[in-house]
Amino acid sequence: MELDQVFGRTFACACGRTHAIAPQQVVIADDAIARLAEQLASCTDGRRVAVIADRRTLAVAGESAAAAVAAAGWAVQVVCVPDRDGDDPLYGGPVCDDRTRSWLVDRLEPVDVLLAVGSGVINDLTKWVAYDCSRPYVVFATAASMNGYTAANVAPTIDGVKCLIRARPPGAVVTALPVIASAPPRLTSAGFGDVLAKGVSNADWYCNHQFFGDYHCERAVGLIGEIEPRYRDRPESIADGDGDAIAALFEALLLTGAAMTMAESSAPASGGEHLISHALDMMAARDGIAHDLHGRQVGVGTVLAAALYERVLAVERPRPIDPPPCESGFWGGQGPAVARACAAKAERLERARTQLADPAVWDALRRRLAAQVPRAANVQDRLRRARAAVSAADLGIDSARLATALAHAHEIRPRFTVLDLARLLGILPDAAPQLVAQWAR
């Protein structure tokens, strides 16, 4: 599907909703930096812009972007977001949390529009601040590393807990293919891991539709179907920096963000596999250590979630149980917030438990999910061929830590996922070490 058939369009959907898809413009062009002033002007009548970057993205494109916009007559403030404490050479960089947001807000001068130059953290921070300050923003993407560029969501850490808050998509996404193609391979492999999650997250989304009547949209599910073969079927092309494959990956990430906009939720792109990554982040914050890139963790989490679905779907006649209680004490100072998330999910768990006991409901759900969920072996093979993370060791942690994240990840969000389904069927938490040993050792 061509990007201009989605972005900036409003269309009635078979799901019953009318979807208005932002951003209005997606510009992928070699002269993208020269066109930034035009895109900023489409968002505001003012001529004051804050360019927000980190020290890496400032060197890659931020300085050039600021100069180009200034040459077009704009008043430009450049803000370089500092790295987290320690500046680890592999995992260093800024973080999207409440402390960094406050730091950024305190330094912003009066502006009419914000320009993010970066990828995940810089985009989320800018989106968050722009929304809170009622200012539009544009993003110049520097890597095909995550699916949040076009989404209306921000995934910050607040009081130590990974959260999801609503905001607005950018007015435009702008990039040049040579920039994203020359991004560090770790970032591109993170984007590959993030987009491969869609098969599992959509299964989780359908479970919520089946059990609780949540909104579901087949068009959102299939939005990247035409693009997928260009990067999924030859994962080596991602590792080799092939321009067509990376362009297709970037477009798929943008369209996945559009699917979240259509759903007014992150459900089409974020399920149990993302919770595993978020749990690793929160455990790292609790213990004062670094963690790997979100998408790399998501890729490993997708293998585990797909393997977990295989065990779940092998159950012919469920005997649902009352799941073990939430262990909020595991999270230390983050415990009270985790306990609230668990409490918010209690009613859904009971409703799902009741329906799982109905053979007709389970048989219909099994047939649907079996046709949708990717095989764990296939996901792992694609990640390995793309030279992405496939194991705990690749993420810089041991197997026990990954198994612990798998066992506790369900606690941090109210959303129902395969992690909860497996607990209702008595598979988790006991199977967590076995799954990691088999699939991610």
Side-chain angles (χ1 to χ4, degrees), residues 85-152:
D85 295 341
D87 188 21
D88 185 284
L90 283 181
Y91 310 126
V95 293
C96 184
D97 62 8
D98 41 5
R99 186 175 68 174
T100 309
R101 177 199 171 279
S102 296
W103 180 95
L104 179 56
V105 169
D106 287 345
R107 282 155 181 80
L108 277 181
E109 299 170 358
V111 293
D112 303 299
V113 61
L114 307 179
L115 172 61
V117 180
S119 55
V121 169
I122 293 299
N123 179 66
D124 265 11
L125 278 171
T126 307
K127 183 187 302 184
W128 190 7
V129 171
Y131 182 73
D132 287 350
C133 297
S134 299
R135 294 290 185 272
Y137 94 101
V138 169
V139 57
F140 185 95
T142 57
S145 58
M146 55 93 204
N147 60 25
Y149 287 118
T150 57

Side-chain angles (χ1 to χ4, degrees), residues 276 304 308 401-410 419 428 431-432 435-436:
I276 295 168
L304 293 173
L308 190 55
R401 190 173 186 85
L402 182 56
T404 300
L406 175 59
H408 285 275
H410 69 286
L419 306 176
L428 285 180
L435 285 165
V436 171

Side-chain angles (χ1 to χ4, degrees), residues 13-65:
C13 185
C15 71
R17 289 188 181 182
T18 296
H19 301 299
I21 309 299
Q24 292 299 308
Q25 294 287 331
V26 172
V27 177
I28 305 174
D30 288 348
D31 64 344
I33 287 179
R35 296 169 64 175
L36 276 172
E38 170 192 346
Q39 297 303 319
L40 293 170
S42 71
C43 299
T44 179
D45 293 328
R47 286 296 183 271
R48 300 172 300 175
V49 60
V51 176
I52 300 170
D54 63 30
R55 63 181 179 85
R56 300 159 189 80
T57 62
L58 193 63
V60 168
E63 292 173 348
S64 299

Side-chain angles (χ1 to χ4, degrees), residues 217-302:
C217 176
E218 289 293 339
R219 187 166 185 177
V221 170
L223 208 54
I224 66 172
E226 294 178 18
I227 294 175
E228 282 183 301
R230 289 168 53 196
Y231 60 86
R232 185 193 61 193
D233 294 351
R234 288 190 60 252
E236 301 86 352
S237 60
I238 295 293
D240 294 341
D242 176 78
D244 180 68
I246 291 177
L249 173 62
F250 185 68
E251 291 171 17
L253 291 166
L254 298 183
L255 288 170
T256 303
M260 291 190 273
T261 298
M262 291 168 68
E264 298 181 4
S265 159
S266 65
S270 176
E273 76 296 325
H274 273 65
L275 295 187
I276 295 168
S277 176
H278 293 327
L280 288 170
D281 290 356
M282 289 174 57
M283 290 165 62
R286 180 199 63 188
D287 299 338
I289 61 174
H291 59 78
D292 208 325
L293 297 171
H294 171 66
R296 284 168 55 82
Q297 295 177 165
V298 166
V300 175
T302 301

Side-chain angles (χ1 to χ4, degrees), residues 63-78:
E63 292 173 348
S64 299
V69 174
W74 289 70
V76 180
Q77 178 194 10
V78 176

